[in-house]
Amino acid sequence: MFRRSSGLPTLFVSLLLVVGFASSANADTYQTYVTPTVNGYQIGTYLPNQPTGNFSSAADTARRFCQDQGHSGAQSFTTAIRGSAYTYIVGTNGVGPWNTTGNSNVTMIESIICFNSSSDVTYTTPTVNGYQVGTIQPNYPTGNYSTPADTARRFCLDQGHTGARTFTTAIRGSAYTYIVGTNGVGAWNTTGNSNVTMLETITCFNAPVLTYATPKVNGYQIGTIQPNYPTGNFSTPAATARRFCLDQGHVDVSSFTTAIRGTAYTYIVGTNGVGSWNTTGNSNVTMIETVTCITQ
């Protein structure tokens, strides 16, 4: 099942592998859930309004809901912010038990489109260069590290897949191989730490894709002031890339590459990829250099 990397492939090479794999994709089936509930209450999350704590993101919550219904994952979802009783995941990355509480400013999941796919490939104890992959995040929230989601996606890209459908994690002290860089971009390196987020399993998927070089909206290349301005009404690079793909009529984003520079750029006025596009100029902008979209 495992194919160990013989070198340190760049994300550009990985993108070429992804495009070459597209012809073997299988058709997915979809099911929509309106007002999805667990234990009698609609599901939601306190993120991003309370950015720290033992919470799962809206995307993780939607994916976990679909998996609990026996589906492969969440194709898309819609949200609304309001005060409500709701059921949420006690844990990050969609891992943990469901619990019910009530808060103001809850990100409520209004609808979810779940899908089933026969093209998934699961890797147990995924390794690179002979060591299991992992990341020091979220225990070291700042630094030149990739998140578990970015690490899983990069691993799948390096195996020639479109992206990572799901993954499971465990926290422990271990020698591990991690990505030297953020957003899943950089070389793989091996080290050892305590409290490592080890990736126990990764399920990769295959789907037809289309890559956009220097993606533009309203005549300017897209980007975001994050992570250089970590707070404010800005969308992350991942949310910006995903929104771009959705605006082109595609299903989702598979991967993207970035570069930091000062330039005029078009960004999303809002978090989580929701809001209008606007053009401005800044120094230290995270410019989206390429975006690979999942076309179906």
Side-chain angles (χ1 to χ4, degrees), residues 6-30:
S6 59
L8 297 173
T10 65
L11 190 55
F12 178 70
V13 173
S14 299
L15 291 174
L16 292 179
L17 289 171
V18 167
V19 172
F21 208 95
S23 62
S24 64
N26 294 313
D28 292 341
T29 59
Y30 300 87

PDB file of all heavy atoms in Angstrom, residues 6-30:
ATOM      1  N   SER A   6      11.174   8.903  -2.947  1.00  0.00           N
ATOM      2  CA  SER A   6      12.615   8.750  -3.131  1.00  0.00           C
ATOM      3  C   SER A   6      13.342  10.073  -3.046  1.00  0.00           C
ATOM      4  O   SER A   6      14.554  10.133  -3.070  1.00  0.00           O
ATOM      5  CB  SER A   6      12.906   8.098  -4.495  1.00  0.00           C
ATOM      6  OG  SER A   6      12.369   8.885  -5.539  1.00  0.00           O
ATOM      7  N   GLY A   7      12.604  11.167  -2.977  1.00  0.00           N
ATOM      8  CA  GLY A   7      13.226  12.474  -2.871  1.00  0.00           C
ATOM      9  C   GLY A   7      12.273  13.413  -2.189  1.00  0.00           C
ATOM     10  O   GLY A   7      11.425  13.010  -1.423  1.00  0.00           O
ATOM     11  N   LEU A   8      12.409  14.692  -2.498  1.00  0.00           N
ATOM     12  CA  LEU A   8      11.546  15.695  -1.908  1.00  0.00           C
ATOM     13  C   LEU A   8      10.816  16.415  -3.035  1.00  0.00           C
ATOM     14  O   LEU A   8      11.221  17.494  -3.459  1.00  0.00           O
ATOM     15  CB  LEU A   8      12.370  16.688  -1.068  1.00  0.00           C
ATOM     16  CG  LEU A   8      13.089  16.070   0.118  1.00  0.00           C
ATOM     17  CD1 LEU A   8      14.002  17.093   0.758  1.00  0.00           C
ATOM     18  CD2 LEU A   8      12.096  15.537   1.132  1.00  0.00           C
ATOM     19  N   PRO A   9       9.729  15.823  -3.574  1.00  0.00           N
ATOM     20  CA  PRO A   9       9.054  16.425  -4.720  1.00  0.00           C
ATOM     21  C   PRO A   9       8.442  17.764  -4.358  1.00  0.00           C
ATOM     22  O   PRO A   9       7.942  17.954  -3.257  1.00  0.00           O
ATOM     23  CB  PRO A   9       7.965  15.404  -5.063  1.00  0.00           C
ATOM     24  CG  PRO A   9       7.726  14.666  -3.793  1.00  0.00           C
ATOM     25  CD  PRO A   9       9.061  14.624  -3.099  1.00  0.00           C
ATOM     26  N   THR A  10       8.479  18.706  -5.268  1.00  0.00           N
ATOM     27  CA  THR A  10       7.843  19.991  -5.053  1.00  0.00           C
ATOM     28  C   THR A  10       6.367  19.858  -5.270  1.00  0.00           C
ATOM     29  O   THR A  10       5.880  18.909  -5.876  1.00  0.00           O
ATOM     30  CB  THR A  10       8.394  21.043  -6.019  1.00  0.00           C
ATOM     31  OG1 THR A  10       8.027  20.639  -7.346  1.00  0.00           O
ATOM     32  CG2 THR A  10       9.904  21.161  -5.921  1.00  0.00           C
ATOM     33  N   LEU A  11       5.601  20.862  -4.780  1.00  0.00           N
ATOM     34  CA  LEU A  11       4.163  20.833  -4.968  1.00  0.00           C
ATOM     35  C   LEU A  11       3.818  20.933  -6.442  1.00  0.00           C
ATOM     36  O   LEU A  11       2.817  20.391  -6.892  1.00  0.00           O
ATOM     37  CB  LEU A  11       3.518  21.989  -4.188  1.00  0.00           C
ATOM     38  CG  LEU A  11       1.999  21.956  -4.078  1.00  0.00           C
ATOM     39  CD1 LEU A  11       1.531  20.641  -3.481  1.00  0.00           C
ATOM     40  CD2 LEU A  11       1.515  23.123  -3.255  1.00  0.00           C
ATOM     41  N   PHE A  12       4.695  21.587  -7.249  1.00  0.00           N
ATOM     42  CA  PHE A  12       4.432  21.690  -8.686  1.00  0.00           C
ATOM     43  C   PHE A  12       4.457  20.313  -9.325  1.00  0.00           C
ATOM     44  O   PHE A  12       3.579  19.967 -10.126  1.00  0.00           O
ATOM     45  CB  PHE A  12       5.462  22.595  -9.349  1.00  0.00           C
ATOM     46  CG  PHE A  12       5.288  22.709 -10.846  1.00  0.00           C
ATOM     47  CD1 PHE A  12       4.200  23.398 -11.359  1.00  0.00           C
ATOM     48  CD2 PHE A  12       6.194  22.124 -11.709  1.00  0.00           C
ATOM     49  CE1 PHE A  12       4.029  23.502 -12.721  1.00  0.00           C
ATOM     50  CE2 PHE A  12       6.019  22.222 -13.067  1.00  0.00           C
ATOM     51  CZ  PHE A  12       4.946  22.911 -13.577  1.00  0.00           C
ATOM     52  N   VAL A  13       5.444  19.500  -8.938  1.00  0.00           N
ATOM     53  CA  VAL A  13       5.495  18.138  -9.454  1.00  0.00           C
ATOM     54  C   VAL A  13       4.260  17.371  -9.009  1.00  0.00           C
ATOM     55  O   VAL A  13       3.662  16.616  -9.768  1.00  0.00           O
ATOM     56  CB  VAL A  13       6.778  17.417  -8.988  1.00  0.00           C
ATOM     57  CG1 VAL A  13       6.739  15.946  -9.373  1.00  0.00           C
ATOM     58  CG2 VAL A  13       8.001  18.089  -9.602  1.00  0.00           C
ATOM     59  N   SER A  14       3.843  17.589  -7.738  1.00  0.00           N
ATOM     60  CA  SER A  14       2.657  16.907  -7.233  1.00  0.00           C
ATOM     61  C   SER A  14       1.427  17.276  -8.045  1.00  0.00           C
ATOM     62  O   SER A  14       0.570  16.449  -8.323  1.00  0.00           O
ATOM     63  CB  SER A  14       2.432  17.267  -5.760  1.00  0.00           C
ATOM     64  OG  SER A  14       3.530  16.851  -4.985  1.00  0.00           O
ATOM     65  N   LEU A  15       1.324  18.569  -8.435  1.00  0.00           N
ATOM     66  CA  LEU A  15       0.189  18.996  -9.223  1.00  0.00           C
ATOM     67  C   LEU A  15       0.157  18.295 -10.565  1.00  0.00           C
ATOM     68  O   LEU A  15      -0.897  17.915 -11.060  1.00  0.00           O
ATOM     69  CB  LEU A  15       0.232  20.521  -9.425  1.00  0.00           C
ATOM     70  CG  LEU A  15      -0.011  21.371  -8.176  1.00  0.00           C
ATOM     71  CD1 LEU A  15       0.201  22.837  -8.508  1.00  0.00           C
ATOM     72  CD2 LEU A  15      -1.405  21.149  -7.632  1.00  0.00           C
ATOM     73  N   LEU A  16       1.338  18.094 -11.179  1.00  0.00           N
ATOM     74  CA  LEU A  16       1.394  17.377 -12.434  1.00  0.00           C
ATOM     75  C   LEU A  16       0.918  15.950 -12.259  1.00  0.00           C
ATOM     76  O   LEU A  16       0.193  15.401 -13.098  1.00  0.00           O
ATOM     77  CB  LEU A  16       2.823  17.387 -12.988  1.00  0.00           C
ATOM     78  CG  LEU A  16       3.366  18.750 -13.459  1.00  0.00           C
ATOM     79  CD1 LEU A  16       4.789  18.586 -13.953  1.00  0.00           C
ATOM     80  CD2 LEU A  16       2.494  19.341 -14.548  1.00  0.00           C
ATOM     81  N   LEU A  17       1.294  15.333 -11.141  1.00  0.00           N
ATOM     82  CA  LEU A  17       0.843  13.975 -10.861  1.00  0.00           C
ATOM     83  C   LEU A  17      -0.669  13.923 -10.722  1.00  0.00           C
ATOM     84  O   LEU A  17      -1.323  13.001 -11.199  1.00  0.00           O
ATOM     85  CB  LEU A  17       1.499  13.460  -9.574  1.00  0.00           C
ATOM     86  CG  LEU A  17       2.995  13.154  -9.659  1.00  0.00           C
ATOM     87  CD1 LEU A  17       3.534  12.873  -8.271  1.00  0.00           C
ATOM     88  CD2 LEU A  17       3.278  11.995 -10.595  1.00  0.00           C
ATOM     89  N   VAL A  18      -1.226  14.972 -10.072  1.00  0.00           N
ATOM     90  CA  VAL A  18      -2.665  15.011  -9.868  1.00  0.00           C
ATOM     91  C   VAL A  18      -3.394  15.064 -11.206  1.00  0.00           C
ATOM     92  O   VAL A  18      -4.357  14.350 -11.447  1.00  0.00           O
ATOM     93  CB  VAL A  18      -3.043  16.235  -8.993  1.00  0.00           C
ATOM     94  CG1 VAL A  18      -4.531  16.469  -9.023  1.00  0.00           C
ATOM     95  CG2 VAL A  18      -2.563  16.011  -7.570  1.00  0.00           C
ATOM     96  N   VAL A  19      -2.926  15.952 -12.110  1.00  0.00           N
ATOM     97  CA  VAL A  19      -3.589  16.100 -13.399  1.00  0.00           C
ATOM     98  C   VAL A  19      -3.526  14.790 -14.173  1.00  0.00           C
ATOM     99  O   VAL A  19      -4.481  14.365 -14.812  1.00  0.00           O
ATOM    100  CB  VAL A  19      -2.946  17.250 -14.194  1.00  0.00           C
ATOM    101  CG1 VAL A  19      -3.499  17.294 -15.607  1.00  0.00           C
ATOM    102  CG2 VAL A  19      -3.191  18.576 -13.489  1.00  0.00           C
ATOM    103  N   GLY A  20      -2.401  14.096 -14.090  1.00  0.00           N
ATOM    104  CA  GLY A  20      -2.241  12.842 -14.802  1.00  0.00           C
ATOM    105  C   GLY A  20      -3.133  11.743 -14.281  1.00  0.00           C
ATOM    106  O   GLY A  20      -3.435  10.788 -14.996  1.00  0.00           O
ATOM    107  N   PHE A  21      -3.604  11.871 -13.028  1.00  0.00           N
ATOM    108  CA  PHE A  21      -4.402  10.826 -12.401  1.00  0.00           C
ATOM    109  C   PHE A  21      -5.888  10.991 -12.686  1.00  0.00           C
ATOM    110  O   PHE A  21      -6.685  10.105 -12.430  1.00  0.00           O
ATOM    111  CB  PHE A  21      -4.170  10.854 -10.882  1.00  0.00           C
ATOM    112  CG  PHE A  21      -4.345   9.519 -10.215  1.00  0.00           C
ATOM    113  CD1 PHE A  21      -3.250   8.699  -9.981  1.00  0.00           C
ATOM    114  CD2 PHE A  21      -5.600   9.086  -9.821  1.00  0.00           C
ATOM    115  CE1 PHE A  21      -3.407   7.477  -9.358  1.00  0.00           C
ATOM    116  CE2 PHE A  21      -5.758   7.867  -9.193  1.00  0.00           C
ATOM    117  CZ  PHE A  21      -4.665   7.064  -8.961  1.00  0.00           C
ATOM    118  N   ALA A  22      -6.280  12.143 -13.239  1.00  0.00           N
ATOM    119  CA  ALA A  22      -7.691  12.509 -13.286  1.00  0.00           C
ATOM    120  C   ALA A  22      -8.537  11.543 -14.096  1.00  0.00           C
ATOM    121  O   ALA A  22      -9.719  11.367 -13.806  1.00  0.00           O
ATOM    122  CB  ALA A  22      -7.837  13.914 -13.867  1.00  0.00           C
ATOM    123  N   SER A  23      -7.979  10.897 -15.106  1.00  0.00           N
ATOM    124  CA  SER A  23      -8.797  10.090 -16.002  1.00  0.00           C
ATOM    125  C   SER A  23      -9.378   8.855 -15.345  1.00  0.00           C
ATOM    126  O   SER A  23     -10.322   8.269 -15.846  1.00  0.00           O
ATOM    127  CB  SER A  23      -7.954   9.658 -17.214  1.00  0.00           C
ATOM    128  OG  SER A  23      -6.864   8.867 -16.777  1.00  0.00           O
ATOM    129  N   SER A  24      -8.841   8.455 -14.170  1.00  0.00           N
ATOM    130  CA  SER A  24      -9.314   7.240 -13.525  1.00  0.00           C
ATOM    131  C   SER A  24     -10.356   7.500 -12.445  1.00  0.00           C
ATOM    132  O   SER A  24     -10.724   6.608 -11.702  1.00  0.00           O
ATOM    133  CB  SER A  24      -8.126   6.477 -12.902  1.00  0.00           C
ATOM    134  OG  SER A  24      -7.548   7.255 -11.887  1.00  0.00           O
ATOM    135  N   ALA A  25     -10.836   8.749 -12.339  1.00  0.00           N
ATOM    136  CA  ALA A  25     -11.777   9.085 -11.273  1.00  0.00           C
ATOM    137  C   ALA A  25     -13.123   8.396 -11.480  1.00  0.00           C
ATOM    138  O   ALA A  25     -13.566   8.174 -12.592  1.00  0.00           O
ATOM    139  CB  ALA A  25     -11.985  10.604 -11.217  1.00  0.00           C
ATOM    140  N   ASN A  26     -13.763   8.077 -10.379  1.00  0.00           N
ATOM    141  CA  ASN A  26     -15.077   7.476 -10.412  1.00  0.00           C
ATOM    142  C   ASN A  26     -16.123   8.516 -10.037  1.00  0.00           C
ATOM    143  O   ASN A  26     -15.841   9.486  -9.346  1.00  0.00           O
ATOM    144  CB  ASN A  26     -15.155   6.302  -9.435  1.00  0.00           C
ATOM    145  CG  ASN A  26     -14.250   5.162  -9.844  1.00  0.00           C
ATOM    146  OD1 ASN A  26     -14.244   4.761 -10.994  1.00  0.00           O
ATOM    147  ND2 ASN A  26     -13.474   4.662  -8.894  1.00  0.00           N
ATOM    148  N   ALA A  27     -17.353   8.309 -10.474  1.00  0.00           N
ATOM    149  CA  ALA A  27     -18.426   9.248 -10.167  1.00  0.00           C
ATOM    150  C   ALA A  27     -18.823   9.125  -8.703  1.00  0.00           C
ATOM    151  O   ALA A  27     -18.910   8.030  -8.165  1.00  0.00           O
ATOM    152  CB  ALA A  27     -19.625   8.977 -11.069  1.00  0.00           C
ATOM    153  N   ASP A  28     -19.095  10.282  -8.076  1.00  0.00           N
ATOM    154  CA  ASP A  28     -19.559  10.302  -6.699  1.00  0.00           C
ATOM    155  C   ASP A  28     -21.080  10.416  -6.677  1.00  0.00           C
ATOM    156  O   ASP A  28     -21.708  10.876  -7.631  1.00  0.00           O
ATOM    157  CB  ASP A  28     -18.960  11.488  -5.942  1.00  0.00           C
ATOM    158  CG  ASP A  28     -17.468  11.360  -5.739  1.00  0.00           C
ATOM    159  OD1 ASP A  28     -16.956  10.235  -5.858  1.00  0.00           O
ATOM    160  OD2 ASP A  28     -16.820  12.380  -5.480  1.00  0.00           O
ATOM    161  N   THR A  29     -21.697   9.998  -5.573  1.00  0.00           N
ATOM    162  CA  THR A  29     -23.124  10.213  -5.341  1.00  0.00           C
ATOM    163  C   THR A  29     -23.273  11.139  -4.141  1.00  0.00           C
ATOM    164  O   THR A  29     -22.426  11.153  -3.245  1.00  0.00           O
ATOM    165  CB  THR A  29     -23.854   8.888  -5.078  1.00  0.00           C
ATOM    166  OG1 THR A  29     -23.274   8.245  -3.933  1.00  0.00           O
ATOM    167  CG2 THR A  29     -23.744   7.969  -6.286  1.00  0.00           C
ATOM    168  N   TYR A  30     -24.362  11.927  -4.125  1.00  0.00           N
ATOM    169  CA  TYR A  30     -24.517  12.985  -3.137  1.00  0.00           C
ATOM    170  C   TYR A  30     -25.852  12.865  -2.401  1.00  0.00           C
ATOM    171  O   TYR A  30     -26.826  12.359  -2.941  1.00  0.00           O
ATOM    172  CB  TYR A  30     -24.429  14.361  -3.812  1.00  0.00           C
ATOM    173  CG  TYR A  30     -23.128  14.601  -4.517  1.00  0.00           C
ATOM    174  CD1 TYR A  30     -22.951  14.204  -5.839  1.00  0.00           C
ATOM    175  CD2 TYR A  30     -22.060  15.193  -3.859  1.00  0.00           C
ATOM    176  CE1 TYR A  30     -21.743  14.408  -6.489  1.00  0.00           C
ATOM    177  CE2 TYR A  30     -20.850  15.408  -4.500  1.00  0.00           C
ATOM    178  CZ  TYR A  30     -20.704  15.008  -5.814  1.00  0.00           C
ATOM    179  OH  TYR A  30     -19.508  15.209  -6.452  1.00  0.00           O
TER     180      TYR A  30
END
